[in-house]
Amino acid sequence: MAATFLWLLIPNAPDVPDNAPFAGVSIQTEQNVPLHLPNRGFRCTETEQEFQCQIDIQDQLLTLNLTKGQGYPYDLSNCRASYGRQAVGCRESGQNYAPTLAKMYEITNLNLSPQQIQTVRQTYWGINTLMQLGEVRLTWISAGLAITAGISAAFFTWLHPEFWSKGFVSFACGFGVYQLVERFLSGVPFDVVTPYGLTPEDWIRVIRGGAIAVGIATMLVTALLLWRRVNRFSRVLISLVIGAGIFSLALWSFGWIGYVFPLFDWANQFLPQGHLLALFFIVISVLVAIAAVILIWTYTNLSIRKFLCLGSGFGAIALASNLFMYLLLDLGYID
């Protein structure tokens, strides 16, 4: 199912400017249900002053002429459209990030019959399905797939708590600590570090480099503890670091569970901006982290297997949800 979702997302992404200078084009219909056309279906040429893009619709050419911007060529204006050499309406309908900020256009007065509209909709069913789902439902689907991946990973790990499971959990713990460190350092205001000679760009590099370094170190020490016994003092330190990683993974995972089950929104009625729900997720994540520390500290075959299931489950949710979020943002489906 995840492969099908990715197969639907990637080919229909409005990749500007590689495919076309605009994020998308839709056709107004009598049923008030827009008929979306993929921007990669357009064939575009350009001159110094304008872009001209064409697509075949029911054996006729739909042509768009768009004037380039003065300072930025993709700041388009003055849309003129024709269909079968007859002028039709063209108006700007918004903007989208795809993956640069680009305009969207709506074609009016095309006068396609209901049968023609249905045929075109079936031809471009992928982009129309995605646009009909919208940002919220796409996020729900991503969250559902991520949670399914987590449950599957935990089940697989229980049956096979060996090399690959230990390697995956080590990587997941490293990723969790990386996220935790990056979020913490990103909260430091720039004016705190600039007196020490760091520019904002330098500080961003420090944040990323430091978070990656701590994440890699966490991955290595987690693998060390899973594959061999260490002394008592080292086990205490490593267990606490692992607990921090599991806390980060669990907190991110519970946030995505909140997307799948919108009924959690009832909590927002009690405190503004969802503070109660956020506190609930933090408390649950702390409990999960404590359980992980106890399991890894106990260090029996059964406790290690339980820890691996816990780490692989939350790790798979966090990694999969980050992947889907990155794709949805980078491909221009959500802002």
Side-chain angles (χ1 to χ4, degrees):
M1 187 174 178
T4 302
F5 186 54
L6 293 174
W7 175 78
L8 187 62
L9 286 178
I10 296 174
N12 291 289
D15 195 2
V16 178
D18 290 344
N19 296 324
F22 44 78
V25 173
S26 61
I27 298 173
Q28 185 187 60
T29 65
E30 294 180 356
Q31 294 78 20
N32 292 323
V33 179
L35 175 60
H36 296 277
L37 304 175
N39 72 346
R40 66 181 57 206
F42 285 83
R43 304 178 296 276
C44 296
T45 58
E46 62 178 296
T47 64
E48 291 184 3
Q49 291 78 30
E50 68 174 19
F51 290 99
Q52 183 183 80
C53 299
Q54 297 179 323
I55 189 172
D56 294 304
I57 301 293
Q58 292 293 287
D59 299 323
Q60 298 281 353
L61 273 180
L62 174 62
T63 302
L64 275 66
N65 291 84
L66 300 154
T67 303
K68 291 182 176 180
Q70 292 290 337
Y72 181 60
Y74 302 107
D75 184 17
L76 307 174
S77 62
N78 191 24
C79 177
R80 291 95 60 206
S82 63
Y83 180 64
R85 298 185 178 180
Q86 298 293 321
V88 294
C90 180
R91 63 191 180 195
E92 185 180 334
S93 59
Q95 293 184 330
N96 194 18
Y97 187 80
T100 60
L101 192 62
K103 295 183 177 181
M104 298 182 292
Y105 292 93
E106 184 179 53
I107 306 299
T108 60
N109 305 323
L110 204 61
N111 297 324
L112 295 177
S113 68
Q115 293 78 12
Q116 289 176 316
I117 291 173
Q118 184 62 26
T119 300
V120 177
R121 198 182 301 278
Q122 289 176 352
T123 302
Y124 301 113
W125 65 271
I127 186 66
N128 281 278
T129 299
L130 292 170
M131 293 300 103
Q132 187 175 3
L133 287 172
E135 292 187 15
V136 174
R137 289 190 181 90
L138 287 176
T139 306
W140 288 354
I141 293 172
S142 300
L145 290 174
I147 293 170
T148 301
I151 295 172
S152 301
F155 182 73
F156 175 84
T157 299
W158 181 260
L159 297 178
H160 306 281
E162 293 133 4
F163 178 84
W164 292 109
S165 297
K166 291 180 179 179
F168 177 75
V169 171
S170 299
F171 177 79
C173 287
F175 179 76
V177 170
Y178 158 80
Q179 281 194 313
L180 197 64
V181 172
E182 185 182 47
R183 284 198 295 265
F184 174 77
L185 294 179
S186 297
V188 178
F190 286 132
D191 56 7
V192 174
V193 298
T194 48
Y196 298 95
L198 290 174
T199 65
E201 292 76 16
D202 292 334
W203 181 237
I204 291 173
R205 285 193 287 268
V206 169
I207 291 174
R208 292 175 179 172
I212 291 173
V214 176
I216 292 174
T218 300
M219 180 179 66
L220 294 176
V221 297
T222 303
L224 173 67
L225 184 59
L226 289 175
W227 262 286
R228 57 173 296 181
R229 290 183 177 272
V230 297
N231 61 59
R232 185 183 183 88
F233 178 73
S234 298
R235 201 192 316 173
V236 170
L237 292 180
I238 297 174
S239 298
L240 292 176
V241 173
I242 290 174
I246 295 296
F247 166 78
S248 177
L249 295 173
L251 186 59
W252 179 271
S253 300
F254 285 127
W256 275 81
I257 292 174
Y259 278 117
V260 177
F261 299 104
L263 291 177
F264 277 125
D265 289 344
W266 66 268
N268 296 340
Q269 300 174 6
F270 296 91
L271 287 175
Q273 300 178 1
H275 293 316
L276 183 61
L277 183 60
L279 179 62
F280 173 75
F281 286 157
I282 290 173
V283 171
I284 296 298
S285 300
V286 168
L287 294 177
V288 171
I290 291 173
V293 170
I294 293 174
L295 289 172
I296 199 71
W297 172 256
T298 305
Y299 212 90
T300 63
N301 289 335
L302 181 59
S303 71
I304 294 297
R305 175 176 286 194
K306 290 180 179 179
F307 167 76
L308 290 174
C309 288
L310 188 72
S312 62
F314 285 109
I317 294 174
L319 289 167
S321 59
N322 270 273
L323 171 63
F324 286 127
M325 178 62 76
Y326 171 78
L327 285 175
L328 290 175
L329 286 169
D330 190 63
L331 296 177
Y333 291 109
I334 62 175
D335 297 327

